[in-house]
Structure formats: structure tokens, C-alpha cells
């Protein structure tokens, strides 16, 4: 990849209220480094020639000030979000200049590159409230965990929340099939297998298939290699940064990536049919998942062959009961027609999702969780 082109524009051409960070330096090596970091964070910086106009200094979401331009900016009004970049680590005076400027941080590159990349991305995307992340696991094969995960995401979107559904089971059928969107364009896991470091949350959402007002990350119909943990971490961090709800459809046998995703979850649901064999199998899943997730609850599918009730199944697993979901024959017909679970907004599954989300999600984006 060729080096980014540096375009130093005259102050008169700068537009107030620019969305990108403001870079102030005449040190070309530092400027190139900062432009690359901005590009990695999905930001378009402004590079004025000389001292910036006051309106641009005050309106930029973040100011990256090279120490070589300190004197030109020392008389400008103090503002939050100024990072002073030192040019010589042995120059102790840069710390005093940072204090006089009221800088948020004094940094040296490349040592502080990771921190600065995150700070640039936060300035562009806004730090916001992290998404509530719900992990859904099946107590046995065919328990209906993917159906519940899909219904939670669809219901959240229908209620007006941002929602993302992440399929972390490479051997599952694919949540895009449940959503009726296997032919919809967008990135799948094989396209993101090499992702590492900071991923821009807004660009991730724009690149994923958009189905029934949710963003869905699933698999293509080819081979399904394991997800690298680095890719899972990057994708999930970007997804959580967007706020709203992130639903993880996890496999029963946790590989490294799925285990990492479980560590990042806020709460979890273990779907268990009310059957003795399912209870035995779910006990092993719970024993694996519970140490990684403090809030793991049982969702019991009824009716069961042994006449077990939800409270009995949950007690046998040593988990709190999140609720019971009676069988719905209509869901199977909907699946064949490409209609995702939760879309109708009625029936036992839809009612469970509404009740559960009303308990765990804020009533509006940015509000407190109950």
C-alpha cells in the first residue's frame, strides 16, 4: 500500500465543524504517522497550514498537536480533547508544555500508537454506551438456541433498538438462513478472518448484510474454518461500541474464539428442552459456561417428554430460570418460508423476547438498564 498523500490546506479552506481530527504539525514524519492512524480508525483528518483558525480549533472533535507547533497554539483558548505529541522522548519540557496547554495527554509515537488509535476512533464514532451483549447457547443439539438468538435480535430491532446478531458457530446452519437473507450482499466471517486491531463500528455495520433492521454476521455456504480469536475480539469490540444489543449465537462446544466471545458477554441464556437427556447434556454445557459468565440463566422449552417444568429444569442445572417457551408449530413453517422468528410480534417466543428485553435493555438508547 502506498503512503497516504498529505494535503496541507490553507486555513481559509477549512470548514468549521469538521468531523475528523485536527492535525497540527509541520513535522512530515509525524504528520504521516497521524494520517495513517486516522485512516485506520476511519477518520478523515484536517491538516491546516500553520496555526489553525480559532473556529476550527474549537469545533474539531480531537486535536493532535505536534510539539513543534506548541507556541503557535499556546494562546488559543483551552479546550478538551487536545493531545500533545512529543518529538523527542528525552525532552522533559514537553510535559510542562502539556500542563500549560491543558492537554488531555502527552504522547510519543510509536509507543502510544494503540492508545491513540482508540482515542481517534472514539472521537469519530463517539464513545457512547457499550451494547448489552447476550450470549445464547443450546443445552443440546437442536435445542433452539439459534431460533431464540434470532428472535431476540429481531424483537430488539422491532422495539427500536440497534441490534446485531453474530453467529459464532461455524458448524451451525447459519443465522442468515433463519433471517431469509442468504443471498443478501455483505461480509461474512471468511471475509473478516484476518481482522485484527481496531475495527470501525460504523463501517462494520455498513459492510454486513442488513436483514429486518438488524446487522447479521454469519457464514457463507463454503467451508467454515475456525474464527481466529483476534478476529472475534476486533469484531465484537466494534459491535459493542455501537450500543444497543449484540446477540451471540454460540456453539455448545466452545472453541477459543467462542470462549473469548462468552467472556465479553454481559448475560447468557441456556436453551434446554424439558427432557431428562437434554438436562444431562445441558449440565455439561452449564458447567463449562458458568465459570466464564456470572449471569447465566435457563430458558426451558415445553412440553417435555418427562413432564418436567421449567423450575425443575433450572433447579437441576443450578441456574436461575429466565422463562419457559411452549412449542410453536408455526415457527417451523415460517422458517421454511424465510420468515425469521420474532418478526410476527406475537406467540410465546415473541412474548418471552419482549419481556426479557424489557428487563435487560434501556427503554431508549443511552438510558439506564433495569
Amino acid at each position: 500500500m502506498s503512503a497516504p498523500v498529505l494535503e496541507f490546506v490553507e486555513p481559509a479552506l477549512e470548514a468549521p465543524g469538521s468531523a475528523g481530527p485536527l492535525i497540527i504539525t509541520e513535522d512530515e514524519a509525524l504528520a504521516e504517522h497521524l494520517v495513517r492512524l486516522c485512516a485506520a480508525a476511519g477518520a478523515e483528518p484536517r491538516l491546516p497550514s500553520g496555526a489553525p483558525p480559532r473556529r476550527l480549533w474549537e469545533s474539531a472533535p480531537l486535536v493532535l498537536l505536534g510539539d513543534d507547533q506548541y507556541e503557535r497554539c499556546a494562546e488559543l483558548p483551552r479546550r478538551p480533547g487536545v493531545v500533545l505529541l512529543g518529538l523527542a522522548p528525552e525532552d522533559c519540557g514537553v510535559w510542562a508544555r502539556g500542563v500549560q496547554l491543558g492537554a488531555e495527554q502527552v504522547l510519543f509515537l510509536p509507543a502510544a500508537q494503540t492508545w491513540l488509535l482508540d482515542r481517534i476512533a472514539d472521537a469519530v464514532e463517539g464513545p457512547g454506551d457499550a451494547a448489552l451483549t447476550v450470549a445464547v447457547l443450546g443445552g443440546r443439539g437442536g435445542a433452539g438456541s439459534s431460533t431464540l438468538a434470532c428472535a431476540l435480535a429481531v424483537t430488539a430491532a422491532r422495539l427500536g433498538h440497534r441490534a446485531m446478531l453474530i453467529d459464532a458457530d461455524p458448524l451451525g446452519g447459519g443465522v442468515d438462513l433463519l433471517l431469509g437473507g442468504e443471498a443478501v450482499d455483505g461480509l461474512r466471517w471468511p471475509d473478516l478472518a484476518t481482522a485484527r486491531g481496531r475495527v470501525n463500528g460504523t463501517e462494520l455495520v455498513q459492510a454486513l448484510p442488513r436483514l429486518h433492521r438488524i446487522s447479521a454476521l454469519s457464514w457463507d455456504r463454503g467451508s467454515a474454518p475456525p474464527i481466529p480469536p483476534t478476529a472475534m475480539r476486533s469484531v465484537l469490540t466494534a459491535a459493542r461500541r455501537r450500543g444497543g444489543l449484540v446477540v451471540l449465537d454460540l456453539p455448545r462446544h466452545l472453541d477459543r474464539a467462542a470462549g473469548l466471545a462468552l467472556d465479553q458477554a454481559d448475560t447468557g441464556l441456556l436453551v434446554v428442552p424439558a427432557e431428562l437427556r437434554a438436562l444431562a447434556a445441558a449440565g455439561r454445557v452449564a458447567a463449562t459456561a458458568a465459570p466464564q459468565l456470572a449471569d447465566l440463566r435457563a430458558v426451558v422449552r415445553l412440553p417435555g417428554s418427562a413432564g418436567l417444568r421449567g423450575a425443575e429444569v433450572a433447579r437441576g442445572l443450578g441456574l436461575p430460570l429466565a422463562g419457559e417457551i411452549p412449542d410453536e408449530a408455526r415457527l417451523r413453517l415460517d422458517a421454511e418460508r424465510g420468515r425469521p422468528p420474532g418478526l410476527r410480534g406475537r406467540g410465546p417466543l415473541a412474548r418471552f423476547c419482549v419481556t426479557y428485553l424489557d428487563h435487560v435493555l434501556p427503554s431508549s438508547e443511552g438510558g439506564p438498564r433495569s
Side-chain angles (χ1 to χ4, degrees), residues 149-176:
C150 182
L152 284 171
V154 170
T155 302
R158 188 164 47 79
L159 295 176
H161 298 280
R162 286 178 176 171
M164 182 179 292
L165 177 59
I166 297 179
D167 183 355
D169 185 358
L171 300 181
V175 296
D176 56 343

Side-chain angles (χ1 to χ4, degrees), residues 44-60:
E44 295 185 6
R46 294 284 183 163
L47 291 85
S49 178
R54 179 167 175 160
R55 69 183 186 279
L56 187 57
W57 169 270
E58 293 177 344
S59 64

Side-chain angles (χ1 to χ4, degrees), residues 136-146 168-172 249-255 258-259 262 270-273 277-278 280-289 292:
V136 184
L137 304 97
R140 66 156 170 79
S145 57
S146 294
D169 185 358
L171 300 181
D249 184 15
L250 299 183
R252 290 187 301 126
H253 302 287
L254 299 174
D255 56 17
L262 187 64
L270 180 61
V271 184
V272 189
R277 290 188 64 190
R284 291 190 287 271
V285 178
T288 301
Q292 295 179 246

